[in-house]
Amino acid sequence: MIETAEDYREAVLSQQWWEKRSFVGCDFTEADLRGLRTQGCTFDQCDFTKVDFEGSRHEASAFRSCTFDRSVLAGTRWSSCSMLGSSFVDCRFQKVAFTECDLSLVSLSRNRLSKVDLSGLRLREANLTEADLTGADLRRSDLTGARLAGAKLEGADLRGARIDANGLVQANLSGAHVDTETAVAYAAAHGLVIH
């Protein structure tokens, strides 16, 4: 059953268990989704503005082209989820856990992601413009095509990450931890001739 354009604004849906449900264009603005558990659910073009997700768990669920504006994501866990094309604006990411998730084409511009574990994630063509990734764990993440203009990656761990020349030039990588391959690519991207 697909729920289309349903109004869940300010609904209290905390501590519920949702399995294999589909939502298209639904409005969850200011809903209470604390402790919600989803498994195999799909959310397409849904609005999660000011939603409280604190402590929620999501497994093999898809949140495609959704809006998370000033949403509380503290203490949430996302496992094998797709966030393809979703937009995050001024969200709280404290103690968020992403495992084997696809964040391709996601907009995380200007969000505070310092010390967040983003290791092993797919962040292809993600918008990380001016995002604060200070001390973030990005090991083995795929940042191919990601927009990193003004992104703060000081102290971030980029070992094993895939990042193209454009990203290496745009981002502030001062103090970032990189492997030899990334160091060579960084030098080449900045015009050094390596012999």
Side-chain angles (χ1 to χ4, degrees):
M1 180 174 141
I2 300 174
E3 299 179 50
T4 304
E6 293 290 334
D7 186 352
Y8 292 99
R9 284 179 294 182
E10 300 183 10
V12 178
L13 303 165
S14 58
Q15 307 301 326
Q16 293 192 18
W17 168 265
W18 295 351
E19 188 172 5
K20 296 181 180 175
R21 292 178 65 176
S22 294
F23 302 84
V24 178
C26 296
D27 188 351
F28 290 89
T29 300
E30 296 191 74
D32 181 354
L33 300 181
R34 289 176 297 169
L36 172 70
R37 295 183 62 123
T38 68
Q39 184 169 32
C41 293
T42 59
F43 300 84
D44 290 290
Q45 300 174 348
C46 293
D47 190 347
F48 294 105
T49 297
K50 294 185 178 178
V51 167
D52 190 347
F53 281 99
E54 187 170 2
S56 63
R57 306 283 183 266
H58 308 278
E59 185 176 345
S61 292
F63 296 79
R64 296 180 291 244
S65 298
C66 293
T67 300
F68 296 82
D69 187 346
R70 292 160 288 165
S71 308
V72 177
L73 304 173
T76 57
R77 298 196 180 280
W78 312 77
S79 177
S80 301
C81 290
S82 171
M83 316 295 278
L84 184 70
S86 287
S87 175
F88 294 83
V89 179
D90 198 23
C91 294
R92 295 187 211 160
F93 284 94
Q94 297 94 334
K95 298 182 181 176
V96 173
F98 292 105
T99 307
E100 296 181 7
C101 291
D102 187 351
L103 279 70
S104 295
L105 298 169
V106 162
S107 177
L108 291 161
S109 177
R110 298 185 181 89
N111 278 278
R112 288 195 69 228
L113 297 158
S114 56
K115 299 185 180 176
V116 173
D117 185 352
L118 301 169
S119 60
L121 300 185
R122 188 172 185 162
L123 288 153
R124 293 175 69 92
E125 299 185 49
N127 181 3
L128 294 164
T129 304
E130 297 181 22
D132 182 357
L133 292 152
T134 306
D137 186 348
L138 288 156
R139 287 174 298 165
R140 303 176 315 282
S141 289
D142 186 353
L143 291 155
T144 307
R147 290 188 286 172
L148 292 164
K152 298 175 185 172
L153 286 156
E154 297 97 325
D157 194 339
L158 290 161
R159 289 174 291 179
R162 293 177 62 192
I163 181 169
D164 54 31
N166 203 28
L168 291 170
V169 171
Q170 293 176 345
N172 182 352
L173 294 170
S174 177
H177 303 275
V178 299
D179 52 28
T180 304
E181 185 178 337
T182 303
V184 170
Y186 178 84
H190 284 82
L192 294 180
V193 178
I194 301 164
H195 296 282

Short mmCIF file of all heavy atoms in Angstrom, two decimals, residues 187-194:
data_model
loop_
_atom_site.label_atom_id
_atom_site.label_comp_id
_atom_site.label_asym_id
_atom_site.label_seq_id
_atom_site.Cartn_x
_atom_site.Cartn_y
_atom_site.Cartn_z
N ALA A 187 48.96 16.57 -4.41
CA ALA A 187 50.10 17.32 -4.95
C ALA A 187 49.90 17.61 -6.43
O ALA A 187 50.12 18.74 -6.90
CB ALA A 187 51.39 16.54 -4.71
N ALA A 188 49.47 16.59 -7.19
CA ALA A 188 49.25 16.77 -8.62
C ALA A 188 48.13 17.77 -8.89
O ALA A 188 48.22 18.60 -9.80
CB ALA A 188 48.93 15.42 -9.26
N ALA A 189 47.07 17.71 -8.07
CA ALA A 189 45.93 18.62 -8.26
C ALA A 189 46.33 20.07 -8.01
O ALA A 189 45.73 21.01 -8.54
CB ALA A 189 44.78 18.23 -7.32
N HIS A 190 47.38 20.26 -7.19
CA HIS A 190 47.87 21.61 -6.89
C HIS A 190 49.05 22.00 -7.78
O HIS A 190 49.76 22.97 -7.48
CB HIS A 190 48.22 21.71 -5.40
CG HIS A 190 47.02 21.82 -4.53
ND1 HIS A 190 46.29 20.73 -4.13
CD2 HIS A 190 46.38 22.91 -4.01
CE1 HIS A 190 45.27 21.14 -3.39
NE2 HIS A 190 45.29 22.44 -3.30
N GLY A 191 49.25 21.26 -8.86
CA GLY A 191 50.22 21.67 -9.87
C GLY A 191 51.65 21.19 -9.68
O GLY A 191 52.53 21.59 -10.43
N LEU A 192 51.89 20.34 -8.69
CA LEU A 192 53.25 19.85 -8.50
C LEU A 192 53.55 18.78 -9.54
O LEU A 192 52.68 17.99 -9.92
CB LEU A 192 53.42 19.25 -7.10
CG LEU A 192 53.31 20.24 -5.93
CD1 LEU A 192 53.50 19.50 -4.61
CD2 LEU A 192 54.33 21.36 -6.05
N VAL A 193 54.78 18.75 -9.99
CA VAL A 193 55.22 17.72 -10.94
C VAL A 193 55.98 16.67 -10.13
O VAL A 193 57.00 16.95 -9.50
CB VAL A 193 56.14 18.31 -12.03
CG1 VAL A 193 56.62 17.22 -12.97
CG2 VAL A 193 55.40 19.41 -12.79
N ILE A 194 55.43 15.46 -10.13
CA ILE A 194 56.00 14.40 -9.30
C ILE A 194 56.88 13.50 -10.16
O ILE A 194 56.46 13.02 -11.21
CB ILE A 194 54.87 13.59 -8.63
CG1 ILE A 194 54.03 14.54 -7.76
CG2 ILE A 194 55.45 12.46 -7.78
CD1 ILE A 194 52.71 13.99 -7.35
#
